[in-house]
Amino acid sequence: MSIRSVLAATAAEYTAGPAAAGTYSMSAGRAGAIVAALLGVAGVVAGGLAVARSARRAAVAALAAGLLGTAAGGLVMVTSGGGIGTGNGLGGAIVALAVGLVAVLLGGLALGRSRRAP
């Protein structure tokens, strides 16, 4: 095998771009988006409980989970190779960003309320 054929094959793979993931396969982008969205949902649940009960620990948990979910969703969004519907997790990353932001807002609201309470 000559060097030219190896370089030509590598160049052809590089210019073809990322392939779309299969319908039922779990790509790294999909898995990352799912984890980010679950972190965001956990933050929303903790934030809702913190707002309802003015619990400081739940507010901090909501802030932490929301920030982690938002960061992970942003990371998946930046590193996804294709558009929405290619199976690279871009749609899930957008949802994770939105849910993580809601968790951060709820956690911040509950934390602000818990500081004012006697």
Side-chain angles (χ1 to χ4, degrees), residues 1-114:
M1 183 174 259
S2 70
I3 302 255
R4 286 185 187 173
S5 63
V6 171
L7 290 176
T10 306
E13 288 177 13
Y14 180 73
T15 57
T23 305
Y24 297 109
S25 65
M26 181 62 69
S27 66
R30 284 180 181 171
I34 289 170
V35 168
L38 288 176
L39 278 170
V41 168
V44 167
V45 169
L49 290 174
V51 168
R53 299 180 183 174
S54 74
R56 187 167 172 83
R57 281 189 185 182
V60 172
L63 277 172
L67 286 174
L68 287 174
T70 302
L75 179 67
V76 171
M77 183 183 278
V78 169
T79 59
S80 67
I84 294 177
T86 59
N88 293 324
L90 184 60
I94 292 169
V95 170
L97 280 172
V99 173
L101 181 61
V102 170
V104 168
L105 292 175
L106 284 174
L109 177 67
L111 195 60
R113 286 184 178 183
S114 70

